[in-house]
Amino acid sequence: VNQIRESLAIMGGSNTAFSLPQPHLLRTKLCDMNDSDLDTNYVKRREELKALVTSMTQPKMVQGKHLNGKEFASFLAQVFSYPVNPGILEALNKGDIPSTVSLVEVFNKGIVDHCLGLYNEKMSGVILPLSEDLLRQMHTELKTKVMDAFEEQHFGRYHVKTSVDMLDSEIQKAYENMLLTNEYKSAKLCEALYTKCEDRMDELQDLRLPSMAKFNAGFVQCNRSFEAGCQGPSKVVYEKRIEKMLGKARLQFIKDYNNRLFNWLVGFALAMVVVSRFILKNFLVEVAAWALFIFLETYTRIFWSPESLYYNPVWHFIVTVWETVVYSPLLDLDRWAIPLAWLSLILLLVWRFYGKKKLAGGPLLPMYAFQRGSSNSRFR
């Protein structure tokens, strides 16, 4: 091609063996003229130039056979229809003469699509949500690998900037979509964990048997599950929300804890009075129940307010005993309170009536034992 280009310089009027004269004075009408209208010397030189070009080129041969125009077009279709890039045929047929830049861009478009597909394939295997730093690191590493792969496979040396910019732009769009997806999944996951913790705190506020130990255990478990489960860019926002929510729940529970425990002990004292009198019929238990009831309802009202009682060492001792009985890692009395209460009531009733029946089976009057030969008698 360079040799032909040098030969074309002849038409510029240089003093060479193939120097061509001017074809006609009216150069603007050359396209409308026949060879008979042109300068005969020009026509002669032009034919010599065509012969020179023909001598420099060789026709395309496939399997020892020269290809004509139709066969050559079919050959190009077979070559460029390979998965590399079928769009090259469109570039060749576009316009009168295809440019080098257009051919390079079309050929490299297939490589751009292949590299972009490789990036999307690898990123689609990433399990979201992730932290922004980790996702950015993965994106940077994968982008470097994809750009290196493009550098190894791209066509041409001087006209690839457009293809590189296209690949970089498409990768950036895919990364931005990944960021949006990561943010959405992060917010969805953290919101679910936040709602779960909020529901758990509401359940702990309504314990049948209030227990500070059980509330603290649920508080710690909720906080740990949120820290381990919530991931991604929304974690910072939801950490502040859950910290505020847990703080309010803790303050509310502590505020209601002593009041609920005080009322529960008053009810328990009255219940023990009834049970000890009509079921157990145990005078000592009844006296102890009355003493507890009087202490809570009378003595505290005369000497202390219920709030001041909560700071008394006696109350602290009662709370310690209560927490030990109500909740432990082995037994959660709040969960088994109703079944155990029914079981205890049934056992008390069975014991009470069984004891009465056993006592009723004996003689109502004392029995006497008589000895033969003696006038004295004694009770058996």
Side-chain angles (χ1 to χ4, degrees), residues 22-69:
Q22 294 295 331
H24 198 275
L25 296 177
L26 301 176
R27 298 179 61 86
T28 57
K29 296 183 178 181
L30 291 179
C31 296
D32 299 330
M33 295 181 181
N34 298 322
D35 288 351
S36 59
D37 299 328
L38 301 177
D39 184 87
T40 55
N41 192 22
Y42 169 80
V43 174
K44 179 181 178 182
R45 294 291 185 177
R46 187 194 64 186
E47 294 301 322
E48 293 177 356
L49 178 61
K50 290 170 62 176
L52 175 64
V53 173
T54 303
S55 66
M56 292 180 180
T57 58
Q58 296 294 330
K60 181 66 178 178
M61 297 183 64
V62 176
Q63 297 179 354
K65 179 182 178 182
H66 294 290
L67 298 182
N68 56 27

Side-chain angles (χ1 to χ4, degrees), residues 231-244:
Q231 300 293 334
S234 300
K235 184 174 184 178
V236 177
V237 177
Y238 278 89
E239 277 182 341
K240 296 180 180 178
R241 289 183 58 186
I242 198 168
E243 182 179 357
K244 186 177 180 179

Side-chain angles (χ1 to χ4, degrees), residues 151-181:
E151 288 295 329
E152 294 177 357
Q153 301 176 21
H154 73 78
F155 176 77
R157 180 180 302 178
Y158 304 106
H159 304 286
V160 295
K161 185 178 185 303
T162 303
S163 300
V164 172
D165 294 341
M166 180 188 300
L167 178 59
D168 183 75
S169 176
E170 294 298 327
I171 290 178
Q172 186 64 28
K173 290 180 181 179
Y175 175 62
E176 291 176 356
N177 292 333
M178 182 70 71
L179 288 177
L180 294 176
T181 303

